[in-house]
């Protein structure tokens, strides 16, 4: 099963990852900057832990899905329920369909 999928209505991406997945790891403080170990914005004593909301979704769902799509083909065809990969691109996230995933 894919951790991230297109929603049933085709308007957004949903996260189905377990609480210890990379996308649910972040410090228990109000920060937008952290690395894999701790908060880098204001207090490095805040360690990164799991169980948070997926931090990738606000990035890819902030606009229409075709605006954050990075895969081949344009315009993108939205397949509700299909698994996707979300990639961090330095200042933003993009998504494309998982290779070989034809589940709808």
């Amino acid at each position: 099963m894919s951790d991230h999928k297109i929603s049933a209505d085709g308007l957004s991406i949903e996260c189905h990852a377990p609480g210890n997945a990379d996308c649910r790891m972040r410090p228990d403080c109000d920060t937008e900057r952290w690395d894999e170990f701790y908060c880098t914005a204001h207090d490095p004593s805040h360690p990164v832990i799991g169980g948070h909301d997926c931090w990738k979704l606000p990035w890819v769902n902030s606009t229409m899905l075709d605006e954050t799509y990075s895969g081949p083909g344009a315009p993108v065809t939205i397949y509700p329920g299909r698994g996707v990969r979300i990639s961090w691109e330095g200042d933003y996230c993009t998504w494309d369909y998982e290779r070989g995933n034809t589940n709808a």
Side-chain angles (χ1 to χ4, degrees):
M1 179 173 143
S2 299
D3 285 347
H4 299 94
K5 293 183 176 187
I6 302 291
S7 63
D9 62 10
L11 298 176
S12 63
I13 294 175
E14 300 173 338
C15 181
H16 300 276
N20 63 348
D22 288 345
C23 65
R24 294 187 182 267
M25 303 291 285
R26 64 180 301 150
D28 266 342
C29 60
D30 187 21
T31 184
E32 293 186 12
R33 293 189 328 222
W34 68 92
D35 65 19
E36 63 195 87
F37 303 108
Y38 53 81
C39 170
T40 59
H42 59 269
D43 189 347
S45 69
H46 293 136
V48 170
I49 60 172
H52 294 277
D53 290 339
C54 178
W55 61 263
K56 295 179 180 183
L57 295 185
W59 291 92
V60 293
N61 289 332
S62 64
T63 62
M64 301 295 291
L65 288 182
D66 60 346
E67 294 180 25
T68 53
Y69 177 71
S70 65
V76 61
T77 301
I78 302 297
Y79 298 102
R82 187 169 293 178
V84 301
R85 295 181 305 195
I86 301 174
S87 302
W88 178 247
E89 302 295 338
D91 291 329
Y92 55 92
C93 284
T94 60
W95 69 275
D96 66 345
Y97 288 108
E98 289 182 332
R99 303 290 182 250
N101 183 327
T102 57
N103 296 333

